[in-house]
Amino acid sequence: MSEELTPAVSDPAADAAGPENETEEPIKQRKNGLYPGVSDELAENMKSGWADTELRDLEPIAQAAETAARRAALSARFPGERLVIPAGNLKTRSNDTEYSFRASVEYAYLTGNQTEDGVLVMEPEGDGHTATIYLLPRSDRENGEFWLDGQGELWVGRRHSLTEAEKRYGIPASDVRELADSLREATGPVRVVRGFDAGIEAALTDKVTAERDEELRVFLSEARLVKDEFEVGELQKAVDSTVRGFEDVVKVLDKAEATSERYIEGTFFLRARVEGNDVGYGSICAAGPHACTLHWVRNDGPVRSGDLLLLDAGVETHTYYTADVTRTLPINGRYSELQKKIYDAVYDAQEAGIAAVKPGAKYRDFHDASQRVLAERLVEWGLVEGPVERVLELGLQRRWTLHGTGHMLGMDVHDCAAARVESYVDGTLEPGMVLTVEPGLYFQADDLTVPEEYRGIGVRIEDDILVTADGNRNLSAGLPRRSDEVEEWMAALKG
C-alpha cells in the first residue's frame, strides 16, 4: 500500500472557511515518506492536462421513487422541523488505514447514497420540507487535493460531482464542507440522527435534545418494518446469492477439513463480494462443538468428518439489504442417528414457526409455536421434567434453545431494532414484513445434565420469510431444509 504526501491540513471545514483563509498550506511530509516536498513546477504541472470526466448521461438510481416516498413520509411525521440525517465518517482501523465505509442505514434508506461524510437535511418549507443532500464534491485539482490528500481521488477513487449526485439521487446537492457553519446559525426546532457524525452533532449541540432525537430514530426504524416492492426484490437477490454461497461451501468441505473453518468463511465471502457488497454480518462457520456458540465468528477451528457444520451467513446487496440464512450440515454428507434426531426436532419446530407467520398474527406467535415443539421434544427425550406447559411457563427449555426464534430483516441483519416494543415484539404481522424463523437446540460440550453423546451438538435452521396477503413466502426455499433433502443436495453437489 503506497504512502507518500498529504497536505498539512485536510480538514474539509477549513477548506471551505472562506477567502480570508485561502493561504496555501505547506505540504506535510510523512515522517518516513520518500519525497521531501513538492516543487512549484510540479505543483503547477499537476493542475492542468486532465480530460473532462464529468458524467452527463447518468440515470437516477433504481430506488429513487422509493427514497422520495420515504422522505415524504418523514416530512409528514415532523412538520415544521429541520431534520438532519448523517451518513457517518470513516473510522480508523490502524494508523493511517480505515475500515471500509458503510453509511448509516437511516441515511441510505432515505437517499440511496452510500458515501462517507454525506448528510441529508430536510428543511421545513410550507406544509412540507425541501431536501438537500450534502456531499463532498470532487477532489480539487487547483490546490492539489486530488493527488496529495489521503482521500484524494488518485488515492481512493473518483467521487461524483455534485451535479452528478443530483441526477443520481433526485435531490439537490451542496458542498458538505459548508454545512456545519450553516447548522450553527439555524433557528427553529431541529432533530438529528445521533452516533454517526460528531462534527454535525457538535454544530447542533445547543439546538437538539436526546428525547426528540430518539423519536426521529424510532420513527425511521419503524418505517422499515414493512418493506416496499423494491426492498423485497433486493432481499430476494441477497437470498439467491446466499444460496449460491452455501453451495460453494459444500463443494469445498474437503478443503476445509484440510485447513479450518476459515476456508468456509473465505469461500462464502468470495460469493458475497462477487455478487454483492459484502457479507451482511460476520459469517458463523461453526464446526463441531463451536455450533453451540451462538455467534461463533472466530472461525479458526477444525472441520472434522462426522461432525456438524452450522453455517449462518448472508450476502449483502449493493443497496445494503442482507439475507440471514442458517443450515446445519453433516460434514461427511450424512447425519448420524442422534444428529438426525436433533436436527429433525429443530426442523419440526421451524415448520411450526413458519406456519404461524401470516398477516394478523401476533409477532410472538411464531416464536411460541417453535418453542412449544422444542419443549415437547426435550420432555420426550427425558432431558427436562414435564409437563410441557410447566416447562414453557418457567422457560426451562431455554437452557438448550437459548435465543429468540427470529427477528426483522432488512438493511440491518437485526432490522428495525429501535422500533417501539408495541410496534415490534408486541405488534401484529402485516404483509411486506420480512423476518427470520430460526429455532435451535444447543447441547454444550460441558453440559452434564444431558447424556454424553448429546454434548457438543448444536443445530439451527434459519430461513427468511416474507409476510404475504394470504400467508407467507419463504425467500430462502432454494436451500433444502429437511434432513433427507439436505443429504441428497450435498451428495449431488459433491458429485
Side-chain angles (χ1 to χ4, degrees):
M1 184 175 184
S2 300
E3 176 191 16
E4 294 302 339
L5 294 167
T6 58
V9 176
S10 57
D11 179 2
D15 292 342
E20 66 273 19
N21 288 333
E22 285 181 352
T23 56
E24 281 293 321
E25 292 287 352
I27 298 301
K28 175 185 176 183
Q29 181 184 6
R30 291 183 187 270
K31 184 175 182 179
N32 289 295
L34 294 174
Y35 289 105
V38 176
S39 67
D40 291 343
E41 290 79 4
L42 176 58
E44 192 62 31
N45 176 274
M46 291 295 288
K47 291 180 182 180
S48 61
W50 304 101
D52 178 7
T53 60
E54 183 75 8
L55 304 175
R56 294 179 172 80
D57 298 320
L58 288 174
E59 296 292 329
I61 58 173
Q63 68 270 42
E66 285 79 7
T67 55
R70 296 166 194 167
R71 294 192 299 274
L74 176 63
S75 174
R77 171 61 180 81
F78 298 103
E81 302 187 51
R82 180 177 285 102
L83 308 173
V84 182
I85 301 95
N89 315 122
L90 289 171
K91 290 183 172 60
T92 299
R93 180 180 185 272
S94 179
N95 189 24
D96 58 354
T97 62
E98 294 85 20
Y99 287 104
S100 295
F101 180 74
R102 189 182 191 275
S104 74
V105 164
E106 292 83 358
Y107 174 84
Y109 178 75
L110 293 168
T111 66
N113 179 257
Q114 299 176 6
T115 54
E116 66 270 16
D117 302 326
V119 184
L120 172 69
V121 178
M122 305 276 286
E123 294 279 355
E125 183 178 59
D127 295 333
H129 288 79
T130 298
T132 303
I133 188 170
Y134 288 86
L135 302 167
L136 285 171
R138 288 194 63 189
S139 299
D140 192 333
R141 291 180 184 263
E142 187 64 26
N143 69 6
E145 173 197 355
F146 78 110
W147 72 287
L148 294 174
D149 189 279
Q151 295 301 316
E153 68 181 49
L154 294 196
W155 289 90
V156 299
R158 182 188 188 276
R159 293 191 291 264
H160 281 296
S161 71
L162 298 181
T163 301
E164 291 168 354
E166 290 183 356
K167 293 178 181 178
R168 283 177 55 79
Y169 305 110
I171 312 172
S174 292
D175 190 336
V176 71
R177 295 173 298 184
E178 302 167 359
L179 179 59
D181 286 343
S182 173
L183 291 177
R184 288 187 190 97
E185 302 301 320
T187 59
V190 184
R191 298 179 193 254
V192 63
V193 175
R194 300 190 180 202
F196 296 101
D197 193 317
I200 293 299
E201 289 181 40
L204 294 169
T205 187
D206 60 341
K207 308 177 193 301
V208 296
T209 68
E211 181 181 7
R212 288 163 51 77
D213 292 347
E214 179 64 11
E215 288 175 352
L216 173 60
R217 189 172 79 106
V218 168
F219 173 81
L220 290 172
S221 195
E222 292 187 5
R224 303 198 306 275
L225 283 168
V226 176
K227 269 59 182 178
D228 58 39
E229 185 176 346
F230 176 85
E231 292 178 290
V232 172
E234 289 300 291
L235 284 166
Q236 187 65 70
K237 285 181 191 176
V239 168
D240 292 344
S241 290
T242 298
V243 168
R244 289 187 283 273
F246 274 65
E247 293 171 347
D248 296 339
V249 167
V250 170
K251 292 175 182 177
V252 300
L253 282 177
D254 57 335
K255 294 182 174 63
E257 287 187 61
T259 52
S260 74
E261 294 162 340
R262 290 192 176 188
Y263 204 98
I264 296 167
E265 178 183 0
T267 298
F268 187 85
F269 181 69
L270 177 62
R271 177 66 64 175
R273 285 294 283 166
V274 167
E275 295 193 1
N277 178 57
D278 206 332
V279 289
Y281 53 96
S283 299
I284 299 168
C285 308
H290 287 162
C292 299
T293 301
L294 299 183
H295 289 166
W296 177 260
V297 293
R298 299 179 201 171
N299 299 333
D300 58 0
V303 179
R304 299 189 178 99
S305 179
D307 283 346
L308 296 176
L309 167 67
L310 191 156
L311 178 58
D312 184 336
V315 172
E316 177 186 83
T317 66
H318 294 291
T319 55
Y320 286 176
Y321 290 86
T322 184
D324 182 9
V325 178
T326 307
R327 290 294 183 269
T328 306
L329 310 173
I331 291 167
N332 63 10
R334 303 286 295 183
Y335 295 101
S336 71
E337 184 177 346
L338 179 59
Q339 289 169 349
K340 185 177 186 300
K341 181 176 83 166
I342 296 170
Y343 184 96
D344 288 348
V346 175
Y347 172 82
D348 290 344
Q350 194 199 29
E351 282 283 276
I354 292 174
V357 175
K358 53 191 173 184
K362 294 296 184 184
Y363 176 84
R364 292 180 180 272
D365 288 351
F366 76 93
H367 168 73
D368 293 341
S370 291
Q371 290 293 299
R372 176 171 291 277
V373 172
L374 295 178
E376 289 171 350
R377 297 304 168 85
L378 292 166
V379 170
E380 177 187 324
W381 298 340
L383 301 183
V384 65
E385 182 181 348
V388 169
E389 294 299 338
R390 168 184 170 273
V391 172
L392 291 170
E393 181 181 354
L394 299 176
L396 301 179
Q397 83 284 359
R398 291 180 62 186
R399 181 181 179 103
W400 302 284
T401 66
L402 293 175
H403 55 79
T405 310
H407 51 81
M408 291 295 180
L409 184 68
M411 297 181 85
D412 281 327
V413 66
H414 298 144
D415 207 27
C416 312
R420 293 167 297 171
V421 172
E422 58 266 32
S423 300
Y424 189 160
V425 174
D426 289 341
T428 300
L429 296 180
E430 301 177 37
M433 290 181 170
V434 180
L435 58 136
T436 68
V437 179
E438 51 175 312
L441 282 173
Y442 312 92
F443 300 103
Q444 304 298 326
D446 58 351
D447 188 349
L448 302 181
T449 71
V450 300
E452 185 176 359
E453 61 268 23
Y454 281 73
R455 299 172 197 165
I457 295 178
V459 173
R460 179 163 66 252
I461 311 172
E462 177 181 19
D463 285 271
D464 302 341
I465 310 298
L466 167 69
V467 183
T468 62
D470 56 359
N472 69 66
R473 174 158 60 93
N474 185 349
L475 301 179
S476 45
L479 275 180
R481 291 189 296 126
R482 216 173 59 207
S483 56
D484 59 332
E485 293 175 341
V486 169
E487 291 177 339
E488 293 170 5
W489 170 72
M490 293 183 69
L493 287 172
K494 290 183 175 183

